[in-house]
Amino acid sequence: MNTLSGKTALVAGGTRGASRAIAVELGRAGAFVYVTGRTTRAGRSEVDRPETIEETAELIERAGGRAEAIRVDHLVPAEVEALAKQVGPLDILVDGLWGGDKHLGWGKPVWEHDLGAGLRMIRLGIDAHLITSHFLLPLLIDRPGGLVVELTDGTAEYNAKYREGTSLPFYVAKASAHLLAIGEAAELAAHGATAVAFTPGYLRSETMLEIYGVTEDNWRDACERVPHFAISETPTFCGRTVAALAADPDRNRWSGQTVSSGQLAKAYEVDDVDGSRPDAWRYMTEVADAGKPADTTGYR
């Protein structure tokens, strides 16, 4: 399905997780994909995980697409400026930058949370996104119909109140994506471009599978210890939904909104790899947060 043939995409932070899968599915749909990030075969970022941007590019090529991996630290303005000069006009910009998982400090009030860790999450979740927008959005308005996707965690409705059990810097960093989408949509409107924030559901990322001690083949084993993991989804599901959004000629109807994988899957009739269609954030609100026993009936 070459629905994005002739398009050029850049996935910032496309090293792993949902961002990697989005890069792969954009490539599978025909777009040429630039993949940027800090972890390469030559060295790891502070995240200290084995996934690399080169591997993401190879996955795109195995899916029948074309890609180029470029090592960039998006917190360094000079590096992002150089990237902009290297890649040229863009049709799709996916900002999946994060890398703050080692700084989370779950459950600690802000006065107990390590200040350096908290400020680092703000830098990773807000500063890096603004730096990227500053240098790369001019490439998006060179062509009509551009799309910007800012990755986040949680829908705007879910994040309208404080996420108890997380931490204030994490909450601020992730909730900022809702405002980025609103602001970028307003500034890009005159150029015919669309901007959204996008949240995966309960993601079976490489890190999450490792934390739960399972693989993609036996992930359901983790539901014995974490029952609500039953609503989880693959990164591929996220990739498919964003690729469907990118291929929609009427995608501007979403501009300025925060959309979820479950929401887009319903709109575009996209399924996960097992043929199901998980709607994780509705499940979290109506089942998990409501204190009900795990039951995905009607939610996937």
Side-chain angles (χ1 to χ4, degrees):
M1 294 179 62
N2 292 320
T3 53
L4 298 176
S5 179
K7 304 295 185 182
T8 301
L10 189 148
V11 180
T15 318
R16 60 186 67 83
S19 299
R20 166 178 277 189
I22 290 169
V24 171
E25 296 308 312
L26 291 175
R28 193 190 306 277
F32 181 91
V33 185
Y34 291 104
V35 183
T36 68
R38 294 176 295 166
T39 296
T40 69
R41 289 192 173 115
R44 296 186 181 185
S45 72
E46 68 199 75
V47 179
D48 195 27
R49 285 197 56 84
E51 300 85 14
T52 69
I53 56 173
E54 294 96 338
E55 289 173 355
T56 302
E58 289 167 359
L59 288 170
I60 293 168
E61 291 167 354
R62 286 180 210 159
R66 297 176 301 127
E68 181 179 350
I70 305 174
R71 198 273 177 195
V72 178
D73 185 338
H74 284 257
L75 275 171
V76 180
E79 292 190 20
V80 185
E81 184 177 22
L83 171 68
K85 293 177 181 177
Q86 181 176 353
V87 300
L90 298 173
D91 300 287
I92 303 162
L93 172 62
V94 178
D95 195 336
L97 298 165
W98 176 230
D101 286 357
K102 289 196 171 183
H103 307 299
L104 296 174
W106 282 156
K108 293 182 178 180
V110 67
W111 55 89
E112 293 180 4
H113 193 285
D114 181 86
L115 180 59
L119 292 176
R120 184 62 177 172
M121 281 194 283
I122 296 299
R123 288 275 284 152
L124 292 164
I126 300 179
D127 292 15
H129 286 244
L130 287 171
I131 292 168
T132 299
S133 295
H134 176 80
F135 289 109
L136 297 187
L137 287 188
L139 305 181
L140 197 83
I141 61 178
D142 283 347
R143 296 174 177 172
L147 172 66
V148 182
V149 181
E150 297 278 359
L151 263 68
T152 186
D153 186 289
T155 64
E157 295 77 15
Y158 199 85
N159 287 335
K161 63 179 182 179
Y162 183 58
R163 299 265 297 270
E164 297 290 343
T166 63
S167 61
L168 185 54
F170 169 84
Y171 176 70
V172 171
K174 290 301 183 180
S176 70
H178 310 315
L179 299 180
L180 282 171
I182 293 170
E184 288 172 346
E187 295 187 344
L188 291 169
H191 302 279
T194 297
V196 302
F198 171 80
T199 178
Y202 201 156
L203 191 67
R204 295 202 298 275
S205 65
E206 301 92 344
T207 302
M208 189 62 71
L209 291 173
E210 188 174 289
I211 289 172
Y212 287 170
V214 292
T215 66
E216 183 55 38
D217 291 333
N218 70 342
W219 69 269
R220 290 186 181 276
D221 291 351
C223 296
E224 295 181 11
R225 293 181 291 111
V226 189
H228 293 302
F229 195 51
I231 196 60
S232 64
E233 63 196 46
T234 68
T236 298
F237 183 58
C238 298
R240 289 175 174 177
T241 62
V242 172
L245 171 67
D248 180 5
D250 191 31
R251 60 184 169 274
N252 193 254
R253 61 192 161 124
W254 304 104
S255 200
Q257 300 180 43
T258 298
V259 295
S260 68
S261 51
Q263 180 182 12
L264 293 181
K266 182 178 180 180
Y268 296 115
E269 298 186 341
V270 173
D271 294 335
D272 206 340
V273 296
D274 63 358
S276 70
R277 195 174 292 173
D279 191 353
W281 290 105
R282 186 168 64 89
Y283 174 93
M284 294 303 292
T285 299
E286 298 177 4
V287 179
D289 292 351
K292 298 179 181 178
D295 182 1
T296 62
T297 303
Y299 295 94
R300 68 174 312 143

